[in-house]
Amino acid sequence: MIETKQIIEFAVNNNLPFYIYRKPNESTINLGITIPNMVENGVSPDIFLNKSGFIFTPFDKDNDLYFIKPVISLSFKNETDLNFGEITNDLNKLVSLNLSSKKTSSLFNKSLSQNSDSFFPSIESLNYKTTSREEYDNSFTIFKALLDNNILSKIILSRRIVSQKGSLKDIYHIFSSLLLRYETAFVYIVFIPGKECWCGASPETLLISNKNGFETMSLAGTNHYTPYYMNPNNWDKKDLEEQQFVTSYIRDILANSDIKGWSEEKLTVKKTGTIVHLLTLFKGPNPLNSKDISYLINNLHPTPAVCGIPSVSAENVIKEKEHYNREFYSGYLGPIGNNSEVDLFVNLRCAKILSNGIVIFAGGGLTKDSNSDKEWDETTLKSQTILNALEYGE
């Protein structure tokens, strides 16, 4: 029997881009592997909407996204479903196609080879540093003044945490741990040799559209899970206001579109692991065409759940005053299909994986009622999604 771990390690060792994911509340694992020249770049997602593959988009719309077109596609619930002979042959064919791969390694290696680190960025090469409390508080003071003076209604302040607990060699362990701990999240790894490796367990849908209709969501406000917080009436004013900003924003986008028949569901609570959020779903009974998908993607991203209100002003403040580049944190990602089918999720509860460590990203929404200590604690809680996955099963 071939194992998912072996396939992932083979792809990393042989310089093959891949993505692997599981959708929320599903059991099927989806894996796509390709060669580097099948990974495309672009600023606009529109040019990829009629293709089949996986899209990986940064927070900043002006920066390039990646579109990964798979050569090998696998979907399975159990590893016993995998055909050993076929997969082995297909992977070896990929290596022969990959002219940039200067060294191959056996599919049956027990662990990632040492050479897998040599072509991949490190903490030092990218000069990553953990956001200090002083840096965070300085940004908080600037953001809060904009809120108090009614220049902004809401803004998200985030930070990064650099850890050497995990690295490129641990990607399968992180992924399998996230699968076990976060059944209601979009769990994934994206690997682009020499450039990017990210993993995460996102609780937030950006947009889903298929033959059954479409769905998007307003997700905001954060608490540590207790039964008390499963009732939205028990949440405090700050969280309810923060979530309402996002809900109103999405409602207005849908109201100004050509999309018909959509509805807004009642406010509820979503639990992902030990964290709960306020949730409002928006649904429509019909699948969206490519024009409507493009409209929603380009207007929803970045939502007030990861940026702020007004959107453009908040985004500019974040770029100037947050002290670091968010990269793909709070962007979006997911599979897209030829028939205007998309499953896109906001890149939250995520980390960038390096050759000798990981960089965890976490943020929280600020309003006039925000308190620096509480917001810092919220980002600490969210960072535990990845940190706990590293420790799980050790």
Side-chain angles (χ1 to χ4, degrees), residues 354-372:
L354 303 169
S355 62
N356 63 344
I358 63 171
V359 184
I360 300 168
F361 299 79
L366 310 188
T367 68
K368 286 183 178 181
D369 295 324
S370 290
N371 171 279
S372 179

Side-chain angles (χ1 to χ4, degrees), residues 69-355:
K69 184 177 181 180
V71 176
I72 299 174
S73 296
L74 303 171
S75 294
F76 54 93
K77 292 185 178 181
N78 299 296
E79 291 178 332
T80 53
D81 298 335
L82 296 173
N83 186 302
F84 177 84
E86 288 183 6
I87 293 173
T88 302
N89 290 335
D90 288 344
L91 289 172
N92 287 328
K93 288 178 182 177
L94 269 190
V95 171
S96 67
L97 287 172
N98 185 14
L99 299 178
S100 66
S101 180
K102 298 180 180 179
K103 182 174 181 180
T104 62
S105 58
S106 169
L107 178 61
F108 309 106
N109 277 1
K110 292 182 179 180
S111 60
L112 289 175
S113 62
Q114 290 183 352
N115 73 293
S116 64
D117 289 346
S118 64
F119 62 85
F120 215 74
S122 66
I123 293 172
E124 293 78 14
S125 67
L126 296 177
N127 196 30
Y128 280 121
K129 295 179 181 178
T130 295
T131 303
S132 69
R133 182 62 194 264
E134 181 181 1
E135 289 172 325
Y136 181 88
D137 284 345
N138 287 341
S139 294
F140 181 92
T141 299
I142 294 169
F143 288 13
K144 188 66 162 54
L146 295 171
L147 294 164
D148 290 340
N149 290 316
N150 298 314
I151 297 171
L152 299 174
S153 300
K154 174 184 175 179
I155 188 168
I156 279 59
L157 175 59
S158 68
R159 64 185 178 104
R160 64 185 181 193
I161 301 164
V162 179
S163 172
Q164 292 184 306
K165 284 187 176 180
S167 68
L168 190 61
K169 292 182 174 65
D170 301 303
I171 55 173
Y172 178 76
H173 170 73
I174 297 171
F175 179 71
S176 59
S177 297
L178 291 172
L179 288 177
L180 291 171
R181 297 171 67 87
Y182 302 102
E183 295 179 357
T184 62
F186 179 78
V187 177
Y188 79 91
I189 299 172
V190 172
F191 175 77
I192 301 171
K195 296 181 179 179
E196 304 289 347
C197 184
W198 289 69
C199 69
S202 174
E204 182 175 353
T205 300
L206 181 74
L207 180 65
I208 294 173
S209 179
N210 53 43
K211 63 182 180 180
N212 298 317
F214 80 91
E215 176 183 308
T216 185
M217 68 169 56
S218 164
L219 191 78
T222 301
N223 271 301
H224 193 280
Y225 167 74
T226 66
Y228 176 81
Y229 284 121
M230 293 307 292
N231 182 345
N233 294 323
N234 293 332
W235 289 58
D236 64 27
K237 174 188 171 184
K238 184 264 178 184
D239 288 312
L240 290 167
E241 181 181 48
E242 181 187 342
Q243 203 271 345
Q244 188 55 48
F245 282 135
V246 184
T247 301
S248 298
Y249 179 86
I250 296 174
R251 185 190 301 126
D252 289 345
I253 287 174
L254 287 168
N256 291 322
S257 74
D258 295 327
I259 301 167
K260 307 298 181 184
W262 59 271
S263 61
E264 177 181 337
E265 298 193 352
K266 183 179 178 182
L267 177 65
T268 184
V269 176
K270 178 173 182 177
K271 178 178 179 290
T272 304
T274 60
I275 299 176
V276 288
H277 302 285
L278 293 166
L279 168 68
T280 301
L281 286 174
F282 294 84
K283 293 184 176 182
N286 302 311
L288 301 174
N289 58 40
S290 58
K291 177 185 174 183
D292 291 333
I293 290 173
S294 174
Y295 168 81
L296 287 180
I297 290 174
N298 287 301
N299 283 277
L300 287 173
H301 175 68
T303 73
V306 298
C307 186
I309 296 175
S311 180
V312 174
S313 299
E315 185 176 358
N316 289 334
V317 172
I318 288 169
K319 290 177 184 178
E320 293 175 8
K321 303 297 183 181
E322 203 173 45
H323 292 298
Y324 77 96
N325 179 1
R326 288 190 178 188
E327 303 179 58
F328 289 86
Y329 163 65
S330 65
Y332 62 88
L333 73 164
I336 60 178
N338 293 321
N339 300 315
S340 295
E341 292 192 357
V342 298
D343 286 272
L344 302 178
F345 299 84
V346 182
N347 195 18
L348 303 175
R349 309 301 124 77
C350 62
K352 181 171 184 173
I353 304 177
L354 303 169
S355 62

